Amino acid sequence: MKILITGFDPFGGETVNPAYEAVKLLPDTIAGAQIIKMEIPTVFSQCGPAVEAGIREHHPDVVLNIGQAGGRSCVTVERVAVNLAEAGIPDNAGEQPMDQPLQPDGPAAYFATIPVKAVVQNVRDHGLPCHLSYSAGTYVCNCVMYNVLHLAATKYPGLRAGFLHVPYADFQTAGKPNGTPSASLASIAKALEYAVEAVAASREEVREAMGTTH
Ligand code: PCA
């Protein structure tokens, strides 16, 4: 199995993005799967084409996109991507879409096509926190997740895809308000590795309710 794993470049005034920093720390092979790493731009119009270029070059079985979710306390596995671009801040090219569909002819939403609960479970089984999330937001991360799932649904049959958000790395929060959640880059990378392991080992989806009440 071949897994293409992307991480975004820094955005929103940060000088690093823990997503790509953690991706770089991943081994080149996980549970027998070949891991291909790629940095992609935090730009609405460029992130999808950048991933598609990687798909064309490497022919992966699975694409996993990783992004920073500052304010979340641990790695979260996204279940849903919505067909909406609504940016609270400009992206790295100065684009700030509002009320825009990502794909005018696409469905309202796509679900991740990796076993999201098995991924959460495997991270937890290794002693690290991990949660399912039902919204990847409406910024560039949701955009890439939606567009990659749309590519898989329309152009690359058999390709599976999913998205994980990571918290701030601890060193990013030195000047931020007391209580801003963060984790060490090493533990973020470990959680990602166990997440990827569940995908690489083709784990069956877990039959356990993980829903939230809000
Ligand atoms: N996080 C942003 C975009 C890039 C990234 O790493 C997001 O969650 O949309």
Side-chain angles (χ1 to χ4, degrees):
M1 186 188 295
K2 208 188 261 191
I3 305 181
L4 174 63
I5 307 187
T6 73
F8 280 103
D9 64 0
F11 70 101
E14 299 291 329
T15 53
V16 296
N17 191 322
Y20 188 58
E21 296 305 313
V23 167
K24 283 193 284 185
L25 294 177
L26 291 174
D28 293 322
T29 306
I30 299 176
Q34 184 189 346
I35 306 302
I36 296 146
K37 306 166 190 179
M38 195 177 146
E39 187 178 29
I40 60 171
T42 302
V43 177
F44 278 94
S45 60
Q46 293 173 21
C47 59
V51 178
E52 187 170 13
I55 294 169
R56 284 172 176 278
E57 184 181 346
H58 300 290
H59 305 284
D61 303 286
V62 181
V63 174
L64 295 177
N65 303 111
I66 318 296
Q68 166 191 296
R72 291 195 188 172
S73 62
C74 65
V75 167
T76 50
V77 184
E78 299 295 346
R79 187 156 193 183
V80 187
V82 295
N83 191 4
L84 175 67
E86 171 93 15
I89 56 170
D91 68 16
N92 286 351
E95 298 172 20
Q96 193 170 3
M98 191 181 75
D99 280 330
Q100 294 291 313
L102 293 165
Q103 296 289 338
D105 299 322
Y110 282 109
F111 288 120
T113 47
I114 57 168
V116 287
K117 297 183 192 180
V119 170
V120 169
Q121 194 62 58
N122 199 47
V123 178
R124 291 179 179 170
D125 285 349
H126 286 84
L128 290 169
C130 188
H131 289 280
L132 256 191
S133 164
Y134 298 90
S135 173
T138 55
Y139 194 52
V140 184
C141 288
N142 173 73
C143 170
V144 86
M145 183 180 175
Y146 185 93
N147 278 322
V148 173
L149 286 164
H150 188 69
L151 281 173
T154 57
K155 237 174 132 175
Y156 299 94
L159 178 67
R160 291 181 298 130
F163 192 97
L164 286 87
H165 265 123
V166 305
Y168 282 134
D170 45 15
F171 54 82
Q172 289 178 277
T173 60
K176 290 190 168 62
N178 190 8
T180 303
S182 68
S184 73
L185 215 40
S187 78
I188 294 172
K190 269 293 165 199
L192 280 188
E193 185 177 337
Y194 299 132
V196 176
E197 182 183 69
V199 176
S202 300
R203 292 277 161 79
E204 293 277 306
E205 183 57 302
V206 170
R207 290 192 51 78
E208 179 193 321
M210 290 190 184
T212 53
T213 54
H214 56 269

